[in-house]
Amino acid sequence: YGLLCFTSLFTLINPIGMLPAYLSLTEEITRQERTIINRKGILTAGIILIIFSFIGDSIFSFYGITINAFRIVGGFIFFRIGLNMLESKISRMKATPKEEEEAHQKEVFAFTPFAIPMIAGPGSITSAMILSANSQNYVDKFVFITMLILTLLITYLIFQTSGRISKFLGTIGLRILQRIMGLLLMVIAVQFVIDGITPIIKELFPN
């Protein structure tokens, strides 16, 4: 379960795939300012993901949504994001051109579009809600929160060393890694859809 949580969250946040856009948006920012932005952005995104993971059950109850329906919809969303990653496209679910333009304002960039929606976007929020809802007990909840924190910590370290990683991997290396993560995300997406459809089929056709 811990591996599922980590791979789902890491591939949806996709820090490796975001490096080119991140470097472009922060090229005129000093290293010290970038560190402050990274800390604020990761902390903001972490708080948002944790909040949504804990209020997921309440949202389901309020709107009369079943976890199986959410798994199916989430699977389709993840598949689309994964397909964009496989084709080395920047998903418009990450940031709009207007948000990218406003990102050059240093005081705003840490919160939008960096924290929202680049890190805590529709895909990662949906994943956090589904994974939290799948937690059967307090141990699973602890594992989920631990993997979320670990994912955000690794994301922070990647952005902190973004320049060196980009030079080491190069454009081709970044695209290869992005495509591998995209393929992995598509597999996870299909599994989410299967997990959502199976109980519905069993309920409709008990025999």
Side-chain angles (χ1 to χ4, degrees):
Y1 183 68
L3 182 61
L4 173 64
C5 291
F6 177 78
T7 53
S8 299
L9 291 167
F10 188 79
T11 51
L12 280 164
I13 292 174
N14 187 24
I16 298 294
M18 284 195 295
L19 279 184
Y22 173 81
L23 289 169
S24 175
L25 292 170
T26 59
E27 61 183 353
E28 297 179 0
I29 297 176
T30 66
R31 181 174 178 81
Q32 184 177 4
E33 290 173 331
R34 187 179 294 177
T35 298
I36 295 172
I37 285 171
N38 290 342
R39 289 176 180 173
K40 287 182 178 179
I42 294 294
L43 181 61
T44 302
I47 291 172
I48 290 170
L49 291 173
I50 289 174
I51 289 174
F52 272 97
S53 67
F54 278 103
I55 67 173
D57 290 338
S58 300
I59 293 175
F60 294 155
S61 300
F62 182 79
Y63 289 103
I65 301 171
T66 65
I67 182 60
N68 293 324
F70 208 71
R71 284 192 188 108
I72 295 170
V73 173
F76 287 130
I77 293 173
F78 301 162
F79 192 89
R80 179 188 172 189
I81 295 173
L83 185 61
N84 285 335
M85 291 168 64
L86 197 64
E87 297 175 347
S88 291
K89 294 179 181 178
I90 299 176
S91 173
R92 285 272 66 85
M93 296 177 73
K94 284 293 183 184
T96 65
K98 181 67 176 177
E99 288 169 330
E100 290 174 356
E101 182 182 340
E102 292 176 350
H104 291 288
Q105 302 176 23
K106 288 179 284 189
E107 63 275 10
V108 176
F109 176 73
F111 304 104
T112 180
F114 185 50
I116 311 167
M118 290 177 73
I119 299 175
S124 54
I125 289 174
T126 302
S127 179
M129 292 173 67
I130 292 175
L131 292 169
S132 179
N134 285 346
S135 302
Q136 302 296 321
N137 48 53
Y138 288 112
V139 175
D140 286 348
K141 288 281 187 184
F142 176 77
V143 170
F144 163 70
I145 294 297
T146 302
M147 289 300 104
L148 174 58
I149 293 173
L150 177 63
T151 302
L152 291 173
L153 177 60
I154 293 174
T155 300
Y156 170 76
L157 293 175
I158 288 174
F159 285 126
Q160 277 293 95
T161 57
S162 56
R164 279 174 282 181
I165 292 175
S166 181
K167 288 179 181 178
F168 177 74
L169 294 176
T171 303
I172 295 176
L174 288 173
R175 286 182 178 176
I176 290 173
L177 281 178
Q178 183 174 352
R179 283 170 175 158
I180 291 172
M181 289 192 292
L183 181 61
L184 179 61
L185 181 57
M186 290 171 73
V187 173
I188 293 172
V190 172
Q191 187 60 55
F192 273 171
V193 173
I194 292 172
D195 291 343
I197 290 176
T198 301
I200 296 174
I201 293 175
K202 287 182 177 178
E203 186 176 339
L204 293 174
F205 307 98
N207 296 325

